Amino acid sequence: MYTAHPDRYTEMPYRRSGRSGLKLPALSLGLWHNFGPDRPVETQRAILRRAFDLGVTHFDLANNYGPPPGAAESAFGEALKADFAPYRDELIISTKAGYLMWPGPYGEWGSRKYLLSSLDQSLGRMGLDYVDIFYSHRPDPDTPLEETMGALHSAVQQGKALYVGISNYSAEQTREAARILGELGTPLLIHQPRYSMLDRRPETEGVLDALDELQVGSIVFSPLEQGLLTGRYLDGIPEDSRAASDSPFLNSDAVTEELVGKLRALDDIAKSRGQTLAQLALAWVLRGGRVTSALVGASSARQIEDSVAAIAHLDFEDAELARIDEVIGSGS
């Protein structure tokens, strides 16, 4: 029987999400990859246990996470039943709906029909009565935003979600979503954009500015840019890497000589700070407090330990930030 570490809350910083009452750990565990039938169950459970022992209280899922879609929620449901049932009230569990889950016109996007049906399926897979956060995973170009936000509001009214969020929405869409939800009486809690040292669109396209203005929290995905911002690609493409497999999320064409040169320069900056490249990348997105939490994935308990170690050094000198911008070729 798993017993959580008694000192699990001593080191992890917790940040308030916008103007809500909810605090999230600076690092959250995303179950996008590594939680499905192709991974040993004991490895999955070891990752979850170690994360919680280190103060990671937030587990982020979506209906389509796996592979196959739904597998991550099912695996997480088994772990909840086996290890975490006594700790449910200490956990923040989130899920999302927006991408393809089943055939036909009601199996994706943002209709009320799809979102609420998907949430019921997610709760069934995880064995839960409610999730803490339910997201619209992507904006639907063909469904009125009032309907999509109305469905999120209904999930809260029905007691199936405590808070609601959005992911992959533009700054303008975020402002409109927040307005609609505010009028309904279910405030927008959080936005989940993709953000890293190599992908600064939330800065350049105004999403972070909109969240500051609205006092809405943020949790960023892919802060390690699908593994590029780790030590794995400092000498090119390893045979067992995601890029070598030409994953739809990272292909070999992206790993150019120019990029490898930048990664090596960033690694030098990390070493000067006493960090790994991955720890530098996590600290960078968390710098200054604009981002509430950063999502990390893990294929082993050791990986989650390495990621959590980043919280020991989240401050940057101005010269370090300038050097990072110089290396990447961005003035942001």
Side-chain angles (χ1 to χ4, degrees):
M1 174 65 73
Y2 165 70
T3 301
H5 197 287
D7 297 329
R8 58 191 176 276
Y9 294 117
T10 58
E11 300 295 333
M12 177 65 68
Y14 297 88
R15 298 177 169 188
R16 192 171 302 280
S17 184
R19 61 185 175 197
S20 76
L22 186 68
K23 292 182 178 181
L24 295 178
L27 291 176
S28 299
L29 181 63
L31 280 68
W32 184 9
H33 303 294
N34 304 318
F35 287 83
D38 59 337
R39 304 282 179 166
V41 171
E42 280 308 310
T43 300
Q44 297 175 39
R45 289 177 63 182
I47 293 168
L48 294 168
R49 291 169 179 169
R50 190 64 183 131
F52 188 51
D53 283 346
L54 292 170
V56 176
T57 54
H58 179 209
F59 299 118
D60 178 84
L61 298 105
N63 58 358
N64 65 324
Y65 287 177
E73 289 179 331
S74 296
F76 185 67
E78 290 300 315
L80 274 172
K81 185 167 57 177
D83 292 333
F84 295 100
Y87 306 104
R88 173 64 183 99
D89 291 336
E90 297 183 42
L91 301 178
I92 300 298
I93 301 168
S94 63
T95 196
K96 313 176 197 73
Y99 289 93
L100 181 64
M101 276 301 289
W102 60 86
Y106 321 119
E108 63 178 326
W109 293 108
S111 71
R112 179 180 182 85
K113 167 72 173 174
Y114 166 69
L115 291 173
L116 295 179
S117 297
S118 179
L119 178 56
D120 283 343
Q121 292 181 22
S122 292
L123 293 173
R125 282 189 288 267
M126 291 187 283
L128 293 173
D129 295 324
Y130 71 95
V131 291
D132 297 278
I133 308 171
F134 181 47
Y135 288 85
S136 167
H137 206 166
R138 60 174 172 170
D140 183 343
D142 298 319
T143 297
L145 194 55
E146 288 81 1
E147 179 174 339
T148 300
M149 295 304 106
L152 297 185
H153 171 66
S154 291
V156 173
Q157 294 297 298
Q158 294 168 5
K160 297 176 181 178
L162 300 185
Y163 301 92
V164 299
I166 57 176
S167 182
N168 298 304
Y169 279 56
S170 70
E172 181 181 356
Q173 290 166 334
T174 298
R175 288 188 175 91
E176 185 64 5
R179 182 192 66 78
I180 294 167
L181 284 168
E183 291 178 354
L184 291 170
T186 297
L188 177 62
L189 173 80
I190 198 164
H191 186 298
Q192 186 173 134
R194 179 169 180 153
Y195 182 46
S196 74
M197 287 194 290
L198 298 178
D199 185 349
R200 303 190 178 190
R201 285 175 294 175
E203 290 181 7
T204 60
E205 296 178 1
V207 169
L208 292 183
D209 288 339
L211 298 179
D212 289 343
E213 170 193 319
L214 296 166
Q215 293 183 274
V216 169
S218 61
I219 179 167
V220 300
F221 71 92
S222 294
L224 302 181
E225 201 61 30
Q226 294 296 309
L228 286 176
L229 289 169
T230 68
R232 296 211 72 195
Y233 296 92
L234 295 176
D235 296 311
I237 303 175
E239 290 184 4
D240 61 345
S241 67
R242 188 169 295 166
S245 68
D246 279 333
S247 157
F249 306 107
L250 178 65
N251 60 60
S252 56
D253 292 340
V255 188
T256 63
E257 288 187 16
E258 180 184 9
L259 176 61
V260 171
K262 291 180 178 181
L263 296 179
R264 289 173 178 166
L266 291 172
D267 187 55
D268 288 341
I269 297 171
K271 287 176 180 175
S272 72
R273 289 169 49 86
Q275 292 181 313
T276 65
L277 176 55
Q279 290 164 356
L280 172 73
L282 294 171
W284 186 89
V285 298
L286 291 168
R287 74 197 188 286
R290 292 188 85 186
V291 168
T292 311
S293 184
L295 280 167
V296 295
S299 58
S300 67
R302 177 60 185 273
Q303 279 191 354
I304 196 71
E305 292 170 355
D306 288 346
S307 293
V308 170
I311 66 176
H313 192 182
L314 297 180
D315 295 330
F316 285 82
E317 299 290 338
D318 289 344
E320 291 175 320
L321 294 174
R323 176 61 181 145
I324 290 169
D325 287 346
E326 180 184 345
V327 167
I328 293 174
S330 167
S332 59

